[in-house]
Amino acid sequence: MKSIVEQSHDFLLPCLHKGAICIDATLGNGKDTIFFLNHKVKKVYGFEIQEDILKFTLNIINNDKLIGILDGHEKMLNYVKEEIDAIIFNFGYCPDSDSDITTLPDTSLIAVKNALNTLKHKGRMVLVMYPHDQGRKEAELIEDYLKQVDHHLFYIEKSYQLNQDNSPYLIQIEKIK
């Protein structure tokens, strides 16, 4: 079976082409951005709130198609003025970093709402949820909102491992109208 990361990438893959505009809403160490860039997309916006991590990741990736933004993902509409093909969020904290610095329920909900508004027709978005203490509240808030989203406009699906409590899981979204 495929990992959560592999599943998220498989879901986004049909949206990636040479003209694709993507958002890595939680840049961290840049693994999702590298996935986008390896598929020859036109541009990736990468949001990161920790300056040292942003600088490190920009230095490692070193690609002019990546626009690194030192700001919260909830402010994406201040930077992104075009329709987006693919968006990924990995909620929680940056691996191998300070686990006390996490995404937050209220700002993450704003970010998800804004991200839905940037998707183009047939654009896709993946939310990778990590149900640690802070993450459970964040996941509940986001899921409660997504349950109210018009099913005629967006197809939304949740995938998780049934036989393991607190395992990471995916919410996959496609804009259908």
Side-chain angles (χ1 to χ4, degrees), residues 30-72:
K31 291 181 181 176
D32 296 315
T33 291
I34 291 168
F35 165 74
F36 289 144
L37 293 171
N38 283 343
H39 286 87
K40 311 295 186 217
V41 301
K42 181 178 179 181
K43 185 187 311 181
V44 179
Y45 292 95
F47 289 86
E48 179 55 58
I49 61 168
Q50 297 178 73
E51 186 173 9
D52 57 332
I53 291 174
L54 178 64
K55 286 180 181 178
F56 175 80
T57 302
L58 291 175
N59 188 48
I60 293 292
I61 295 175
N62 191 25
N63 187 310
D64 61 357
K65 293 180 180 184
L66 170 58
I67 300 167
I69 299 167
L70 181 63
D71 211 343

Side-chain angles (χ1 to χ4, degrees), residues 13-151:
L13 191 57
C15 297
L16 305 183
H17 50 83
K18 67 180 181 177
I21 310 294
C22 305
I23 295 176
D24 186 343
T26 48
L27 181 64
N29 294 320
K31 291 181 181 176
D32 296 315
T33 291
I34 291 168
F35 165 74
F36 289 144
L37 293 171
N38 283 343
H39 286 87
K40 311 295 186 217
V41 301
K42 181 178 179 181
K43 185 187 311 181
V44 179
Y45 292 95
F47 289 86
E48 179 55 58
I49 61 168
Q50 297 178 73
E51 186 173 9
D52 57 332
I53 291 174
L54 178 64
K55 286 180 181 178
F56 175 80
T57 302
L58 291 175
N59 188 48
I60 293 292
I61 295 175
N62 191 25
N63 187 310
D64 61 357
K65 293 180 180 184
L66 170 58
I67 300 167
I69 299 167
L70 181 63
D71 211 343
H73 52 209
E74 73 277 11
K75 297 179 184 170
M76 72 175 61
L77 296 181
N78 293 342
Y79 303 92
V80 178
K81 306 297 183 191
E82 54 204 322
E83 288 187 316
I84 302 299
D85 294 275
I87 304 171
I88 190 163
F89 287 84
N90 277 283
F91 295 104
Y93 57 88
C94 183
D96 304 320
S97 187
D98 185 348
S99 61
D100 290 333
I101 301 174
T102 67
T103 54
L104 302 171
D106 293 336
T107 55
S108 293
L109 178 60
I110 293 167
V112 168
K113 288 178 179 180
N114 289 340
L116 287 174
N117 289 324
T118 69
L119 278 178
K120 65 172 45 174
H121 176 68
K122 293 295 183 183
R124 291 184 172 189
M125 179 164 70
V126 171
L127 313 177
V128 184
M129 311 302 286
Y130 293 88
H132 52 78
D133 290 338
Q134 180 74 22
R136 265 189 286 286
K137 182 179 177 188
E138 185 172 48
E140 288 172 12
L141 188 66
I142 290 169
E143 284 188 43
D144 286 345
Y145 168 73
L146 292 174
K147 288 175 185 176
Q148 307 304 313
V149 171
D150 187 341
H151 70 277

Side-chain angles (χ1 to χ4, degrees), residues 147-170:
K147 288 175 185 176
Q148 307 304 313
V149 171
D150 187 341
H151 70 277
H152 294 100
L153 301 177
F154 293 93
Y155 180 82
I156 303 173
E157 184 177 280
K158 179 179 174 182
S159 303
Y160 58 95
Q161 187 176 347
L162 190 59
N163 63 343
Q164 183 182 359
D165 290 338
N166 300 321
S167 66
Y169 64 93
L170 294 179

